[in-house]
Amino acid sequence: MTEQPLRVDRTELRRLLDGRWAQVREQARDVLRGDDFAPVAGLPMQEHRELTLKRLHALADTGMQTYGFPESVGGRGDVGGSVVAFEMLVCDMSLMVKMGVQWGLFGGAIHALGNEQHHREYLPAVMSVDLPGCFAMTETGHGSDVQNLRTTATYDPKTEELVVHTPDESARKDYIGNAARDGRLAVVFAQLHSAGIDHGVHALLVPIRDSTGAPMPGVRIEDCGHKGGINGVDNGRLWFDQVRVPRTNLLNRYGDVGPDGAYSSPIESKNRRFFTMLGTLIRGRVSVAGGAGSAAKAALTIALRYADTRRQFTRPGSEEGTEQEVRLLDYLAHQRKLLPALARTYALHFAQEETVTRLHELSSGEGDERAQRELESRVAGLKAMATWHATKTIQTCREACGGAGYMSDNRITQLKADSDIFTTFEGDNTVLLQQLAKALLTNFQDSFADLDQLGLVRFMTGRMFENVIERTAALPLIDRLVTAAPGMGEDANLYNRGWQLELLEDREKHVVEGLAARLRRARKDGSDAFEVFNHAQDHVLRASRVHMERVVLESFVMGIDRCGDQATTKLLNRLCDLYVMSVVEEDRAWFLEHERLSASRAKRVIAAVNELCRGLRPHAVQLVDAFGLRDEWLAAPIALGDEHARQGDPVPAGDRG
Amino acid sequence: MTEQPLRVDRTELRRLLDGRWAQVREQARDVLRGDDFAPVAGLPMQEHRELTLKRLHALADTGMQTYGFPESVGGRGDVGGSVVAFEMLVCDMSLMVKMGVQWGLFGGAIHALGNEQHHREYLPAVMSVDLPGCFAMTETGHGSDVQNLRTTATYDPKTEELVVHTPDESARKDYIGNAARDGRLAVVFAQLHSAGIDHGVHALLVPIRDSTGAPMPGVRIEDCGHKGGINGVDNGRLWFDQVRVPRTNLLNRYGDVGPDGAYSSPIESKNRRFFTMLGTLIRGRVSVAGGAGSAAKAALTIALRYADTRRQFTRPGSEEGTEQEVRLLDYLAHQRKLLPALARTYALHFAQEETVTRLHELSSGEGDERAQRELESRVAGLKAMATWHATKTIQTCREACGGAGYMSDNRITQLKADSDIFTTFEGDNTVLLQQLAKALLTNFQDSFADLDQLGLVRFMTGRMFENVIERTAALPLIDRLVTAAPGMGEDANLYNRGWQLELLEDREKHVVEGLAARLRRARKDGSDAFEVFNHAQDHVLRASRVHMERVVLESFVMGIDRCGDQATTKLLNRLCDLYVMSVVEEDRAWFLEHERLSASRAKRVIAAVNELCRGLRPHAVQLVDAFGLRDEWLAAPIALGDEHARQGDPVPAGDRG
């Protein structure tokens, strides 16, 4: 690690990171310029909302929203492209979320759950923002428990209408984007009743405002008011008082009501139908993971460029008058704050790329139900890991920039405030990790998708369980590395990739199997199923985390394998080592407790993190610049030569973004 | 832990927490009411600043600011009381910080560094806010390195004036509270030059605005603009262009210039003088630790009351139709998010109380230089631990409240944003922990206060070092407990307090001595002193952390010892167990690596945290309500019966605050 800095091929590194949807990223870099997309801070809420709507129209003019829509209505039919387009909006995260609401959630639901007629009738106006809309799923009393939401849509065969109703306060729709100010039409999720039968949750189109912007009869709208961030988005609450809409407003791809009230569906099981419908909506969740990644990248770019230039104390020389400059990033403590976070950001970037690719391919009809279920589980886990990582990293970046980091001009506090909601929307992270754990325990078998906690505990009872490590798409390469690994012994080089992979696989296998055994055993003595599950909840969440850390490592390894330049590959390998070593360092208590690492080897892991930090320090700015976030998106003076200028140094030439 | 909930004596618990300055807390509860002190959110910056100044005047009318000022000018001469008064302002953290700037920093510096004449001339108008002012220490280029700041104050004997000057951009005063809008007079820290000699950093009074609010000639003022939080405070930048003030504007308690330019000081050593002056200003740092504690308490009160009422999923019964309600706080994962944080908040509360007491007593002239040095070190460590804890805890509370936690009405995001700067102002936490480590290594010997890194490494070279665990004031009780401890063996009950104390003492001793040995060894082979220190920086920070965790535990133990009710004592002992077990759990890798815990015992620590969480769950709301934060300070609908009302439950009667 004391060798000379590497000659990194910046073009190749950018190409590698830009990945399969490089042209979407390039388009974003090309069109997201000027006043329409410059970061803003400190606006009063109403002005901020007005500006964000204006920007949404400007964004519509660029065509960035067309990726996700079918070609039949003028879209590009490129699901992967739509996710990547979303994450590029890091210049203005209110706009990012507004875009997600209008095109991803509202338009996406019409696309995924509606029929051709719905597409033709609505999607062009959705794309152009002539029809701003809402995705009205969440209810105050049922945030994470969508299956039990209480809004009803009751079919009245006399008028061939559906009657939408909010039965009580728990059932009011809450936190709905676009509801407080701009939305005209809402996709409302409700329990569909027809001929006295409850057919479960379905979505239907309900106009909420007329063309003058006044609420429609029977619709009550309330403003959620000021939020911790993304105040350019107008979140609101909705109540429906016996609101009637035509039968054809039902988004009827997975369930329809005939004129006479007869219900039909291509999917017989009510539970399965519900999960199938929900499954079509995971694009939003993948997008949030990507958006969180972008926010983390932006914060790291700002903090690392600053740390690379900022001096705090002079370095005491051996003799009076021989002081040397020390940049913040020369300090080990500062490296430890930022560089493991950078390594994990890279790792998650490659995991995101792989997940988007799978989503894209599954949307094109490739893959079976098991593949769909695996994808859903992966997305649940990745969204949780990526958003928690972003929250933690951006917080660290704020602190690493001291007082300068607290100035809104320098953007970090805003990135933090705006992305903070990501950990709990589009699925609460804790709930998502539980879903993933359930999938791990049932081995992704689609038939168990609808198991609740009780069902899961029952399912596990008395059942032998062997966790089969399901490797990512990278099977052959990962297999080769693991096979070549020197075993789990003391002598293996900490930087041996095969050993690292095996270490994380082995941990996952042990944790998941241990969990299975625990659930199995606990039921034997007749304990209450809820208590059994609840007592093991920390174990449940842990199983998902260690699974994701392994999966993310595999993605990183596969990503590096696509790199076409030797020195760049070498650098990325070091970064990957840092990812693994910091993952292991964080959890070394477990490795010690389970005799996977000896005490002396665990201590060497700590030393390895330090060593890797020192070795990567000279490359830190190259590594963040490779994300290709334009300088005008970052906008932070401390990241754009302000500190050089103040110190009287020459400012590096050219736009590095 | 499966026993019945305890009958807690709420009055006794409140009395215990209110502590020595109970009457200040009661006064705050009495006067901080109504519109003048209600939480606000979402105001545009200028309005927010205007409101905050108005509130500062309203606060002055209550007399809450008088504690910190000498009786000679109408104050109460109660230093401890002034710190407690500050932390009670959790209803409006912009007002809290504005109060801290005006009375703590600006007024406090005139009080601590000025003479009787300065006190008489300025302090009454400072107290009444007729004279709003600034504490102009920090410079853009020298945030943490105060000793090397570059603003100059050069004595001109011809006119008997001091000429204040900003030589370059690095020397501009930055982030100065009250500077952008309200301040008239500033305490400016500058290098004092007289007769060609640099006497080091001194403070002097410089008018920055005239009575119309226009900047004084030669003074340039810039607005820092919008910040990540506390936008009611007008932070700004200051430049001085040969600004002349009378010689008598020098705050000359520790260094004076005669009419002829002759310098005199009661402290001969320039370094020592600097540290003495700085030492008088630690009240601000103690206050920030207290303010952070209040913010954490408020967030926990909101999140725990919500979690105690909020239902998410129904609990699956053994048979259809036997669903039971589950509150969020019934989930182990939710308990683990909030209850260890609550335990640590209690622990830090008692540590804060003890520190304020010491500060108070030292300010009254009790104690020697070593005691002063110990206090400064304690304050550095406590401020770092308390502010990091607050940031982490409030973030967790936000997530634990989901979407509701993101609504500004529910206050958590604002508590987070406002208190976020606490980790890096009044001393950057990382820098503070290094100062503490230095004190630990030099055994608090005052003569080594001015050692820089190089000096420290030289000091350690070849020196044998034994870390003497300096117990807090609690000596006899702690000694007794440790002596009665059953030894470090496997069999000791995890909840044996003596064993716990010994475990943390032993860890501290090992870590600090190991650090000493490492610094000593490393220099032997002629390595560069900076590199030696830098390579050990993670070890340095760790030494301070483990020291503080031990010290905080002792404070907690002593606090419980003052409790006069048996059941309440029992409850607090459980909470203290949770503090210790979560501290040990977090760091159990270290205990394993150093053979302080076996693998099976380490696993039992995890189980103990779970068990304690379950046992404390029924008492969680009592424990936060005991903080005595008024409902109108919390203001969050989700903490004030909103969730009960929505669910149709009766709202608990009366103001719980």
Side-chain angles (χ1 to χ4, degrees):
Chain A
M1 276 302 145
T2 52
E3 68 226 71
Q4 288 298 304
L6 296 158
R7 280 171 182 275
V8 173
D9 181 339
R10 288 167 188 238
T11 313
E12 175 58 14
L13 183 56
R14 172 72 64 88
R15 188 199 64 74
L16 182 68
L17 286 170
D18 275 3
R20 178 164 169 180
W21 285 275
Q23 89 289 355
V24 181
R25 297 183 199 275
E26 278 302 316
Q27 191 195 350
R29 291 179 190 123
D30 191 40
V31 302
L32 301 178
R33 310 183 80 145
D35 283 350
D36 272 339
F37 303 106
V40 291
L43 284 183
M45 186 177 76
Q46 297 302 349
E47 271 175 54
H48 196 179
R49 288 176 173 182
E50 197 178 323
L51 178 76
T52 305
L53 180 65
K54 187 174 149 266
R55 288 180 166 202
L56 190 70
H57 282 283
L59 187 59
D61 292 341
T62 68
M64 288 297 292
Q65 83 283 29
T66 56
Y67 290 101
F69 290 97
E71 293 177 45
S72 61
V73 297
R76 305 196 210 190
D78 181 350
V79 172
S82 75
V83 175
V84 172
F86 175 89
E87 80 177 48
M88 296 308 281
L89 263 290
V90 70
C91 50
D92 180 345
M93 295 191 68
S94 277
L95 183 59
M96 181 194 273
V97 172
K98 188 97 173 171
M99 172 189 195
V101 168
Q102 172 70 11
W103 297 316
L105 295 176
F106 171 57
I110 297 174
H111 180 198
L113 303 177
N115 59 40
E116 286 291 328
Q117 174 63 25
H118 291 127
H119 294 179
R120 275 194 305 276
E121 188 172 340
Y122 296 103
L123 292 185
V126 172
M127 274 198 281
S128 67
V129 202
D130 288 333
L131 181 64
C134 305
F135 180 82
M137 177 186 273
T138 297
E139 295 178 359
T140 305
H142 305 87
S144 294
D145 190 7
V146 175
Q147 203 163 5
N148 287 308
L149 51 80
R150 291 162 74 146
T151 301
T152 51
T154 309
Y155 184 63
D156 179 355
K158 290 196 287 280
T159 59
E160 295 194 21
E161 287 172 324
L162 287 155
V163 187
V164 183
H165 190 65
T166 305
D168 56 43
E169 273 302 291
S170 294
R172 77 172 183 207
K173 298 292 180 183
D174 212 340
Y175 317 124
I176 308 300
N178 260 351
R181 183 181 184 273
D182 298 328
R184 293 282 167 90
L185 185 69
V187 172
V188 175
F189 288 80
Q191 303 288 352
L192 179 66
H193 293 263
S194 177
I197 299 167
D198 179 355
H199 297 286
V201 173
H202 286 67
L204 71 167
L205 296 166
V206 183
I208 58 166
R209 279 193 183 83
D210 64 22
S211 59
T212 71
M216 296 293 283
V219 176
R220 183 152 70 91
I221 306 178
E222 192 176 275
D223 194 331
C224 285
H226 196 266
K227 304 187 294 295
I230 50 167
N231 277 301
V233 181
D234 53 319
N235 294 80
R237 305 185 177 109
L238 298 171
W239 292 257
F240 302 98
D241 182 9
Q242 311 284 357
V243 175
R244 291 179 165 263
V245 298
R247 180 181 66 88
T248 51
N249 275 27
L250 185 69
L251 296 176
N252 60 353
R253 179 166 163 200
Y254 294 106
D256 201 6
V257 176
D260 59 349
Y263 182 80
S264 60
S265 168
I267 304 172
E268 202 165 334
S269 152
K270 191 171 149 186
N271 262 336
R272 207 180 160 92
R273 191 187 310 137
F274 172 75
F275 285 106
T276 303
M277 284 196 238
L278 236 58
T280 63
L281 304 173
I282 55 166
R283 195 174 48 159
R285 208 165 268 171
V286 187
S287 298
V288 168
S294 290
K297 288 170 189 169
L300 280 168
T301 306
I302 294 165
L304 280 165
R305 285 190 188 173
Y306 184 60
D308 189 51
T309 51
R310 171 73 175 171
R311 300 166 189 142
Q312 187 61 262
F313 293 92
T314 50
R315 170 176 175 160
S318 314
E319 311 193 5
E320 195 80 24
T322 61
E323 289 80 8
Q324 291 175 299
E325 287 164 6
V326 187
R327 309 294 171 109
L328 280 187
L329 198 50
D330 296 329
Y331 290 104
L332 174 63
H334 216 79
Q335 293 164 6
R336 271 189 160 266
K337 283 178 194 170
L338 299 175
L339 299 181
L342 177 62
R344 196 176 285 239
T345 302
Y346 261 75
L348 286 165
H349 174 95
F350 288 111
Q352 173 77 10
E353 166 91 358
E354 192 182 313
T355 306
V356 173
T357 300
R358 285 212 207 179
L359 170 75
H360 185 83
E361 285 165 3
L362 271 181
S363 332
S364 339
E366 298 168 39
D368 54 12
E369 285 194 348
R370 186 195 168 90
Q372 171 70 24
R373 181 131 167 74
E374 275 188 326
L375 174 64
E376 287 167 20
S377 310
R378 174 70 47 84
V379 168
L382 187 62
K383 186 272 187 184
M385 300 299 274
T387 56
W388 269 326
H389 171 69
T391 289
K392 191 176 158 193
T393 298
I394 302 169
Q395 180 66 36
T396 304
C397 289
R398 202 302 282 163
E399 292 176 27
C401 294
Y406 200 58
M407 302 297 112
S408 298
D409 273 357
N410 287 321
R411 283 217 72 200
I412 298 177
T413 52
Q414 199 194 2
L415 290 165
K416 172 68 181 62
D418 285 345
S419 65
D420 195 57
I421 191 62
F422 288 5
T423 54
T424 54
F425 84 173
E426 281 287 328
D428 178 275
N429 282 359
T430 300
V431 175
L432 292 177
L433 288 190
Q434 286 183 196
Q435 284 180 10
L436 171 58
K438 196 173 66 170
L440 293 173
L441 289 172
T442 56
N443 242 320
F444 301 100
Q445 290 178 71
D446 192 54
S447 45
F448 303 117
D450 57 353
L451 286 181
D452 60 11
Q453 289 166 8
L454 174 62
L456 180 68
V457 172
R458 279 191 184 144
F459 171 82
M460 299 308 299
T461 303
R463 184 179 296 252
M464 286 310 294
F465 175 83
E466 197 197 1
N467 183 42
V468 183
I469 292 287
E470 300 278 348
R471 294 224 178 91
T472 54
L475 213 58
L477 170 66
I478 304 295
D479 266 350
R480 208 168 347 109
L481 287 166
V482 172
T483 309
M488 298 294 290
E490 281 295 289
D491 304 329
N493 186 328
L494 291 175
Y495 303 150
N496 181 296
R497 192 74 68 227
W499 174 80
Q500 294 170 349
L501 286 160
E502 207 175 353
L503 188 73
L504 296 201
E505 282 191 4
D506 170 66
R507 177 179 61 156
E508 175 180 346
K509 198 169 157 61
H510 188 90
V511 170
V512 176
E513 289 180 1
L515 174 62
R518 187 170 166 180
L519 295 177
R520 195 170 66 229
R521 269 198 317 270
R523 269 291 276 182
K524 274 196 186 149
D525 57 18
S527 333
D528 175 85
F530 172 80
E531 290 299 333
V532 166
F533 186 85
N534 198 34
H535 279 204
Q537 203 182 12
D538 56 337
H539 198 156
V540 168
L541 300 176
R542 180 167 171 71
S544 297
R545 280 176 192 272
V546 301
H547 168 77
M548 287 309 302
E549 284 176 345
R550 191 263 304 172
V551 160
V552 168
L553 172 59
E554 291 184 4
S555 298
F556 200 169
V557 171
M558 283 306 295
I560 295 172
D561 192 52
R562 294 193 294 271
C563 181
D565 175 71
Q566 214 176 358
T568 310
T569 300
K570 198 166 171 187
L571 178 64
L572 290 173
N573 273 320
R574 283 187 192 167
L575 199 61
C576 187
D577 285 332
L578 181 56
Y579 168 67
V580 181
M581 287 300 111
S582 55
V583 160
V584 175
E585 184 189 36
E586 231 175 58
D587 198 28
R588 62 191 205 285
W590 187 91
F591 291 104
L592 286 156
E593 280 159 2
H594 296 84
E595 294 176 8
R596 264 59 179 184
L597 290 180
S598 68
S600 66
R601 201 159 164 80
K603 289 179 195 169
R604 267 186 282 148
V605 169
I606 305 172
V609 171
N610 289 350
E611 181 182 74
L612 289 160
C613 281
R614 277 195 296 277
L616 285 162
R617 186 257 175 271
H619 297 286
V621 171
Q622 284 175 328
L623 285 165
V624 288
D625 284 351
F627 293 136
L629 305 181
R630 291 182 55 78
D631 278 359
E632 61 185 295
W633 299 348
L634 302 173
I638 55 168
L640 303 178
D642 197 48
E643 188 62 21
H644 279 100
R646 202 186 49 69
Q647 295 182 11
D649 290 357
V651 179
D655 185 334
R656 291 183 291 187
Chain B
M1 275 304 144
T2 50
E3 66 226 74
Q4 288 298 307
L6 296 159
R7 281 173 182 274
V8 173
D9 181 340
R10 289 169 189 236
T11 312
E12 174 58 14
L13 184 55
R14 172 73 63 85
R15 190 200 62 77
L16 183 68
L17 286 169
D18 276 3
R20 177 164 169 178
W21 284 275
Q23 90 290 357
V24 181
R25 298 184 199 274
E26 278 302 317
Q27 191 195 351
R29 290 178 192 126
D30 188 42
V31 302
L32 302 178
R33 311 182 80 144
D35 284 350
D36 272 338
F37 303 105
V40 292
L43 285 183
M45 184 177 76
Q46 297 303 350
E47 270 175 55
H48 196 179
R49 288 176 173 181
E50 199 177 323
L51 178 74
T52 306
L53 180 64
K54 186 174 148 270
R55 289 180 165 203
L56 190 69
H57 282 283
L59 187 58
D61 292 341
T62 69
M64 289 296 292
Q65 83 284 26
T66 56
Y67 291 100
F69 291 97
E71 294 176 43
S72 61
V73 298
R76 307 198 208 189
D78 180 350
V79 171
S82 75
V83 174
V84 171
F86 175 90
E87 81 178 48
M88 296 308 282
L89 263 289
V90 71
C91 50
D92 180 345
M93 295 191 68
S94 277
L95 183 59
M96 182 194 273
V97 172
K98 188 97 173 172
M99 173 190 194
V101 168
Q102 172 70 13
W103 296 316
L105 295 175
F106 171 58
I110 297 175
H111 179 197
L113 304 176
N115 58 40
E116 286 290 327
Q117 172 62 26
H118 293 126
H119 295 179
R120 275 194 305 276
E121 189 172 341
Y122 297 104
L123 292 184
V126 171
M127 275 197 280
S128 67
V129 203
D130 288 331
L131 181 66
C134 305
F135 180 82
M137 177 187 272
T138 298
E139 296 179 358
T140 306
H142 304 86
S144 296
D145 190 5
V146 175
Q147 202 163 7
N148 287 307
L149 53 78
R150 289 160 75 145
T151 301
T152 50
T154 309
Y155 184 62
D156 179 352
K158 287 197 287 286
T159 59
E160 295 194 20
E161 287 173 322
L162 286 156
V163 186
V164 182
H165 190 66
T166 306
D168 56 43
E169 274 301 293
S170 293
R172 77 170 182 208
K173 297 295 178 182
D174 212 341
Y175 317 124
I176 308 300
N178 260 351
R181 183 181 185 274
D182 299 326
R184 293 282 166 88
L185 184 69
V187 172
V188 175
F189 288 80
Q191 303 287 351
L192 177 66
H193 293 263
S194 177
I197 299 168
D198 179 354
H199 298 286
V201 174
H202 287 67
L204 71 170
L205 295 166
V206 184
I208 58 166
R209 280 192 183 84
D210 63 23
S211 58
T212 73
M216 295 294 284
V219 177
R220 183 151 71 88
I221 306 178
E222 194 176 273
D223 195 329
C224 285
H226 196 267
K227 303 186 296 292
I230 50 168
N231 276 300
V233 182
D234 53 319
N235 294 80
R237 303 184 179 109
L238 299 170
W239 291 257
F240 302 97
D241 183 9
Q242 312 284 356
V243 173
R244 291 180 166 260
V245 298
R247 181 182 64 88
T248 51
N249 278 25
L250 185 68
L251 296 174
N252 60 352
R253 178 167 164 198
Y254 294 106
D256 200 6
V257 175
D260 59 348
Y263 181 81
S264 60
S265 168
I267 303 172
E268 203 165 334
S269 151
K270 191 170 150 184
N271 262 335
R272 207 181 159 91
R273 191 188 309 137
F274 172 75
F275 284 105
T276 302
M277 282 196 243
L278 237 59
T280 63
L281 304 174
I282 54 167
R283 196 177 45 163
R285 207 166 267 169
V286 186
S287 299
V288 167
S294 290
K297 288 170 191 169
L300 281 168
T301 306
I302 295 165
L304 280 165
R305 285 191 187 172
Y306 184 58
D308 189 50
T309 51
R310 172 75 176 170
R311 301 164 187 144
Q312 187 61 263
F313 293 93
T314 49
R315 170 176 175 161
S318 313
E319 312 192 6
E320 196 81 23
T322 62
E323 288 82 6
Q324 290 173 298
E325 287 166 6
V326 187
R327 310 292 171 110
L328 280 187
L329 197 51
D330 296 329
Y331 289 105
L332 174 64
H334 217 78
Q335 293 163 7
R336 271 191 159 266
K337 282 178 195 171
L338 299 176
L339 297 182
L342 176 63
R344 198 176 284 241
T345 302
Y346 261 75
L348 286 165
H349 174 94
F350 289 110
Q352 174 77 11
E353 166 91 357
E354 190 182 316
T355 306
V356 173
T357 301
R358 285 211 208 180
L359 171 74
H360 185 82
E361 285 164 2
L362 271 180
S363 328
S364 340
E366 300 168 38
D368 53 11
E369 286 194 346
R370 186 195 168 92
Q372 170 71 21
R373 183 135 167 71
E374 275 188 325
L375 174 65
E376 286 167 20
S377 309
R378 173 71 47 85
V379 168
L382 186 62
K383 186 270 188 185
M385 301 299 274
T387 56
W388 269 326
H389 171 68
T391 289
K392 192 175 157 195
T393 298
I394 302 170
Q395 179 66 36
T396 303
C397 290
R398 202 301 283 162
E399 292 176 28
C401 295
Y406 201 56
M407 301 299 113
S408 299
D409 273 356
N410 286 321
R411 284 220 69 203
I412 298 178
T413 53
Q414 199 195 1
L415 289 166
K416 172 68 181 63
D418 286 345
S419 66
D420 195 58
I421 190 63
F422 288 4
T423 55
T424 55
F425 84 174
E426 281 288 325
D428 179 274
N429 282 359
T430 302
V431 175
L432 292 178
L433 289 189
Q434 287 182 198
Q435 286 179 11
L436 171 58
K438 197 173 68 171
L440 293 173
L441 290 171
T442 57
N443 240 321
F444 302 100
Q445 291 176 68
D446 191 55
S447 45
F448 303 117
D450 58 350
L451 286 180
D452 59 11
Q453 289 166 10
L454 175 61
L456 180 68
V457 173
R458 278 192 185 143
F459 171 81
M460 300 306 301
T461 303
R463 183 181 298 250
M464 285 312 288
F465 175 83
E466 198 197 358
N467 183 43
V468 183
I469 293 286
E470 300 278 348
R471 295 224 177 92
T472 53
L475 215 57
L477 171 66
I478 305 295
D479 265 350
R480 208 168 347 110
L481 288 164
V482 172
T483 308
M488 299 294 290
E490 280 296 289
D491 303 328
N493 187 327
L494 290 175
Y495 303 151
N496 181 296
R497 192 75 69 225
W499 174 80
Q500 295 171 350
L501 285 160
E502 204 174 357
L503 188 74
L504 296 201
E505 282 192 4
D506 170 66
R507 176 179 63 156
E508 175 180 345
K509 197 169 157 62
H510 188 92
V511 170
V512 176
E513 288 181 0
L515 174 61
R518 187 169 166 182
L519 295 177
R520 194 171 68 231
R521 270 198 316 271
R523 270 291 277 184
K524 275 199 184 143
D525 57 17
S527 332
D528 175 85
F530 173 81
E531 290 299 336
V532 166
F533 186 84
N534 199 32
H535 279 206
Q537 202 181 13
D538 55 339
H539 199 156
V540 168
L541 300 175
R542 183 169 169 69
S544 297
R545 280 177 194 272
V546 301
H547 168 76
M548 287 309 302
E549 285 177 344
R550 191 263 306 170
V551 159
V552 168
L553 172 58
E554 292 185 0
S555 298
F556 200 169
V557 171
M558 282 305 295
I560 295 173
D561 192 51
R562 293 193 294 272
C563 181
D565 175 72
Q566 214 176 359
T568 311
T569 300
K570 198 165 171 188
L571 178 64
L572 291 172
N573 273 320
R574 284 186 190 167
L575 198 62
C576 186
D577 285 334
L578 181 56
Y579 167 68
V580 180
M581 287 301 111
S582 57
V583 160
V584 175
E585 184 189 38
E586 230 176 59
D587 199 27
R588 65 192 203 284
W590 187 89
F591 291 103
L592 286 156
E593 282 160 0
H594 296 82
E595 296 176 5
R596 262 63 178 182
L597 291 179
S598 69
S600 67
R601 201 158 163 81
K603 288 179 195 169
R604 268 186 282 148
V605 169
I606 303 173
V609 171
N610 290 351
E611 180 182 74
L612 289 161
C613 281
R614 276 195 298 277
L616 285 162
R617 186 259 174 268
H619 297 286
V621 171
Q622 285 176 327
L623 285 165
V624 288
D625 284 351
F627 293 137
L629 305 182
R630 289 184 57 77
D631 279 359
E632 61 183 296
W633 299 349
L634 303 171
I638 55 168
L640 302 178
D642 198 47
E643 187 63 21
H644 279 101
R646 202 185 51 65
Q647 294 181 11
D649 291 356
V651 179
D655 185 336
R656 292 184 290 188

